[in-house]
Amino acid sequence: MGGLENTYQDSLNPTIFQEAPRIGGAKFVKDMGNNHRRALSNINPNVLGATLNPHVVTKREFFGKLPPVEVVRHCSEAYDREPKNLNLLATKSSGLEDCHIVDVDFEDNKDVPVPMFVKHTEAIIDELDQVEEVEMEDVEEEPVMDIDSDNLKDPLSVVEYVNEIYAHYRKTECFSRVSPNYMNHQPDINEKMRGILIDWLIEVHHKFQLMEETLFLTVNLIDRFLERQIVIRKKLQLVGVTAMLLACKYEEVSVPIVEDFVLITDKAYTKQDVLDMEKLIVNELQFSFSLPTPFVFMRRFLKAAQSNKKLEILSSFIIELCLVEYEMLKFPPSLLAAAAIYTAQCSLYGFKQWSKTSEWYSNYSEHQLLECSRLMVAFHQKAGKDRKLTGVYRKYNTQKFGFAAKAEPANFLLGFSEF
């Protein structure tokens, strides 16, 4: 047994592994000659109870029995405290067999902490789901309609360049605007007198059965002339009827004669007075009549809103209320038209209504229309209550216009906070 122990100690000597010679060369041959290790056949195979050493390698089969060895599979420190089902490694009488490691599902345990990589993976999955939901919402966004697709065969719709026409209108509308403070330079008239004049002209326009374009151009000519020329109070009505005469010559097919306007003023002016004022206005404005008014944009924006007759009449009622009000001069014509349609939609439907198509063709968002729309709602509320300014209310409070003046104002817009 002493020889066996010495042999076993020699086999476990670490110097054998630390000072092992390199393979190849004369030195290797010399070292091999001095090697006194015993042959494996001389070692007793019946060594039992020896301590296992990782440096000892044996390839021979033995017929002894070893106690079962527990093999634990370590993955991370996070699993050290988790209960595991262990795999057993056992030997058969025929010899050692390969070790098979089987993963077993753990039972649900609320006290067991969730590994960090699991939490991270779940967070990534949730984020991807949210991105997919946002993408789906973008896909389901309201599309912008092509409002000219149904008029491709209509030559009067000029579909080929209608967008260029309205782009030109947007560029030139600034030339049709006047200063919202021009009345400060008028010593004898004020904004209330202007409102009374235009309210009366709306009745005259309705009585003569003129086109809508004529009314808006008339108001534009009056404001542009009053901005440049000081007018006394006695001549203010003359300026009004002469501006309507000029607008009729520009827009109407059948133009009322000068005597008709003299008669409508109860002969306060003569025919020569009208002709003299006509010369003064056209020279002061340099014959510049081809400028866009709110009505030009109304037609386009109503088409974008897919309007019906009821919406068209109510929008016209609201925009004509604005013609009388001096403070609305601060808004461009296109904004007035868009805000009038938006306010009319809110009045009819009882909630905010401004489609993506309307926003696209008007170039105004709902937020941009809110200030102007609130003023329109206020004018709608007091329509008919002002004894001096009743022309618009009486015009639209008839069966011809579907009693649009009695429509309920969009009062909820007054309390709607800006976003």
Side-chain angles (χ1 to χ4, degrees):
M1 290 301 291
L4 291 176
E5 291 180 359
N6 294 333
T7 303
Y8 185 73
Q9 293 294 334
D10 291 340
S11 65
L12 298 180
N13 192 348
T15 59
I16 296 176
F17 300 94
Q18 295 176 359
E19 300 179 358
R22 296 184 179 180
I23 299 176
K27 185 178 179 181
F28 175 77
V29 176
K30 182 179 179 180
D31 291 339
M32 288 294 294
N34 298 329
N35 192 352
H36 300 289
R37 289 186 302 169
R38 301 179 62 184
L40 294 177
S41 59
N42 296 330
I43 300 175
N44 191 343
N46 298 322
V47 179
L48 298 176
T51 304
L52 295 177
N53 192 298
H55 296 291
V56 178
V57 178
T58 178
K59 297 183 179 179
R60 294 184 59 186
E61 183 180 12
F62 69 95
F63 300 93
K65 294 184 180 180
L66 292 176
V69 180
E70 295 183 353
V71 179
V72 182
R73 179 174 156 182
H74 299 280
C75 295
S76 64
E77 294 181 7
Y79 284 92
D80 289 344
R81 299 181 181 179
E82 295 183 6
K84 294 182 174 63
N85 292 331
L86 302 179
N87 299 311
L88 299 180
L89 177 63
T91 59
K92 293 185 178 180
S93 60
S94 60
L96 293 173
E97 290 188 352
D98 293 336
C99 174
H100 298 281
I101 300 176
V102 181
D103 293 332
V104 181
D105 294 336
F106 303 142
E107 297 182 357
D108 295 337
N109 192 344
K110 297 182 179 179
D111 297 333
V112 177
V114 181
M116 291 302 298
F117 75 91
V118 176
K119 294 181 179 179
H120 182 65
T121 304
E122 292 178 351
I124 294 176
I125 294 174
D126 293 340
E127 186 176 353
L128 292 175
D129 292 341
Q130 293 176 0
V131 171
E132 291 178 358
E133 291 178 1
V134 172
E135 291 178 353
M136 289 301 295
E137 290 177 359
D138 295 339
V139 171
E140 295 175 359
E141 213 173 57
E142 179 186 357
V144 177
M145 299 179 57
D146 183 7
I147 62 177
D148 300 310
S149 58
D150 295 335
N151 305 111
L152 294 175
K153 297 182 180 180
D154 184 9
L156 297 179
S157 298
V158 290
V159 176
E160 294 81 0
Y161 46 87
V162 65
N163 291 324
E164 286 77 4
I165 291 176
Y166 278 91
H168 174 73
Y169 285 157
R170 293 297 293 265
K171 292 180 180 178
T172 57
E173 69 174 336
C174 59
F175 300 108
S176 66
R177 299 180 62 185
V178 297
S179 171
N181 301 318
Y182 78 81
M183 276 294 176
N184 296 336
H185 305 290
Q186 292 289 347
D188 200 34
I189 59 176
N190 54 40
E191 56 270 15
K192 291 183 179 179
M193 297 178 184
R194 172 194 175 275
I196 294 173
L197 172 65
I198 294 177
D199 187 75
W200 174 74
L201 287 174
I202 290 175
E203 294 187 36
V204 174
H205 171 271
H206 181 53
K207 184 175 183 179
F208 285 170
Q209 298 182 354
L210 303 175
M211 295 191 298
E212 294 295 322
E213 298 94 319
T214 304
L215 175 62
F216 286 89
L217 181 57
T218 299
V219 176
N220 180 263
L221 295 176
I222 292 172
D223 286 325
R224 290 166 58 202
F225 180 74
L226 293 179
E227 184 184 30
R228 294 169 172 81
Q229 185 72 31
I230 295 177
V231 178
I232 61 175
R233 189 176 306 180
K234 293 181 180 180
K235 298 291 184 177
L236 184 60
Q237 188 179 19
L238 178 62
V239 172
V241 294
T242 306
M244 182 166 285
L245 174 64
L246 287 170
C248 289
K249 289 181 178 181
Y250 187 84
E251 296 286 0
E252 299 288 339
V253 177
S254 179
V255 181
I257 60 177
V258 178
E259 285 77 6
D260 293 335
F261 289 102
V262 172
L263 184 63
I264 204 69
T265 61
D266 199 17
K267 298 182 180 181
Y269 310 101
T270 64
K271 178 180 178 180
Q272 191 61 40
D273 292 336
V274 176
L275 296 177
D276 291 340
M277 182 58 69
E278 182 182 23
K279 294 179 184 178
L280 181 60
I281 292 177
V282 295
N283 284 307
E284 191 67 37
L285 300 182
Q286 299 179 356
F287 292 83
S288 178
F289 293 172
S290 301
L291 294 173
T293 63
F295 182 80
V296 173
F297 297 100
M298 283 275 290
R299 290 184 297 185
R300 185 68 171 170
F301 298 166
L302 283 170
K303 188 176 182 180
Q306 297 181 306
S307 64
N308 51 27
K309 193 66 176 177
K310 197 171 184 179
L311 179 59
E312 292 176 5
I313 294 176
L314 186 56
S315 300
S316 299
F317 168 64
I318 293 175
I319 196 70
E320 289 187 23
L321 287 175
C322 296
L323 293 178
V324 180
E325 302 295 335
Y326 173 76
E327 62 180 310
M328 301 303 285
L329 293 175
K330 63 182 179 180
F331 298 108
S334 58
L335 179 60
L336 285 172
I341 297 173
Y342 170 69
T343 308
Q345 287 179 324
C346 293
S347 300
L348 290 176
Y349 306 137
F351 56 87
K352 294 182 282 135
Q353 176 71 20
W354 192 243
S355 64
K356 291 292 183 181
T357 304
S358 296
E359 182 175 343
W360 171 265
Y361 285 98
S362 67
N363 287 329
Y364 289 112
S365 64
E366 187 176 1
H367 175 70
Q368 293 173 306
L369 302 177
L370 190 57
E371 179 186 359
C372 184
S373 181
R374 285 173 173 173
L375 294 174
M376 292 179 174
V377 174
F379 301 150
H380 191 180
Q381 287 178 336
K382 69 176 185 179
K385 299 178 182 179
D386 191 342
R387 296 179 180 179
K388 294 181 180 180
L389 305 175
T390 59
V392 180
Y393 182 83
R394 285 186 293 168
K395 173 183 175 181
Y396 285 90
N397 195 26
T398 59
Q399 187 175 1
K400 178 182 178 180
F401 294 98
F403 301 97
K406 294 183 179 180
E408 190 69 24
N411 297 322
F412 64 91
L413 289 178
L414 297 178
F416 183 72
S417 59
E418 295 188 8
F419 43 87

